Amino acid sequence: MAESRTPEEERQRVEVLHGLQLLDTPKEERFDRITRLARRVFDVPIAAVSLVDVDRTWFKSCVGLEDLEVPRTLSFCDHAIRQDGSLIIPDTQLDARFVDHPLGLRFYAGRPLTAHGRRIGTLCLMDYVPREFGPEDRASLYDVARLVEAELDTVNLAEAWLTAAESRD
């Protein structure tokens, strides 16, 4: 399932992520609106827009979970960005990778988010009970994830890098 990545591919992925200048920034209504919508559409207690950094997964927007980040080693989202399509785990207790997950989550559905050709995070749904997730759910997750990507695409990397360089001077 997991696609293997070369160090160069991972470097480029992280470079795009950092170039977006979204990590460790305040909440933004444009992302919060989407996570609230996802939570209602899928009737889950937790919905998030995650960004997978070098050693952590940070939540740009999250409804239903207080922590703003988790170590990447504990991140469902890290697994999701390593594959094409959505990662659906109906019951984490039946998946050896997550059976002892410390957050006690039993369900995860995540769709990789792509910005400038690189998978930089996920739109994800989580629950404390196992859930079924059918073809219509997958299609809806895809559609809502595209809304997040439309927001990500509004960030011009060249402008973001120029702004970052100017602020360092």
Side-chain angles (χ1 to χ4, degrees):
M1 177 196 78
E3 85 178 23
S4 103
R5 288 208 184 139
T6 67
E8 177 65 14
E9 289 169 326
E10 178 65 4
R11 184 194 62 74
Q12 291 169 348
R13 187 193 72 74
V14 170
E15 189 175 89
V16 167
L17 172 63
H18 286 207
L20 293 171
Q21 295 188 351
L22 291 172
L23 288 168
D24 302 310
T25 58
K27 288 182 168 273
E28 292 182 61
E29 181 60 23
R30 64 189 178 136
F31 293 110
D32 292 345
R33 184 179 307 113
I34 296 170
T35 54
R36 289 191 308 265
L37 173 66
R39 185 178 184 191
R40 284 192 306 270
V41 166
F42 296 100
D43 192 27
V44 292
I46 304 164
V49 171
S50 76
L51 302 174
V52 181
D53 200 0
V54 173
D55 57 0
R56 66 184 175 144
T57 296
W58 183 76
F59 299 117
K60 175 60 182 162
S61 177
C62 187
V63 179
L65 191 64
E66 294 300 315
D67 294 330
L68 288 178
E69 67 181 59
V70 296
R72 188 169 174 181
T73 56
L74 297 177
S75 174
F76 293 96
C77 303
D78 180 53
H79 292 269
I81 68 167
R82 295 174 183 269
Q83 68 178 45
D84 293 326
S86 299
L87 173 62
I88 310 299
I89 306 167
D91 188 349
T92 60
Q93 295 300 298
L94 302 178
D95 189 316
R97 299 170 297 175
F98 307 111
V99 71
D100 293 326
H101 198 274
L103 292 179
L105 297 169
R106 294 288 301 274
F107 167 80
Y108 174 88
R111 178 75 191 183
L113 299 172
T114 303
H116 305 285
R118 302 289 175 194
R119 293 182 198 136
I120 51 101
T122 67
L123 171 67
C124 57
L125 314 168
M126 296 170 267
D127 202 339
Y128 297 102
V129 297
R131 301 175 63 103
E132 294 299 318
F133 206 74
E136 295 237 352
D137 294 316
R138 285 176 181 264
S140 295
L141 181 62
Y142 174 87
D143 288 342
V144 177
R146 297 295 74 77
L147 296 174
V148 178
E149 288 183 340
E151 293 301 328
L152 293 172
D153 285 343
T154 66
V155 177
N156 181 314
L157 281 182
E159 288 177 20
W161 286 332
L162 181 60
T163 302
E166 289 172 351
S167 68
R168 285 191 296 261
D169 292 340

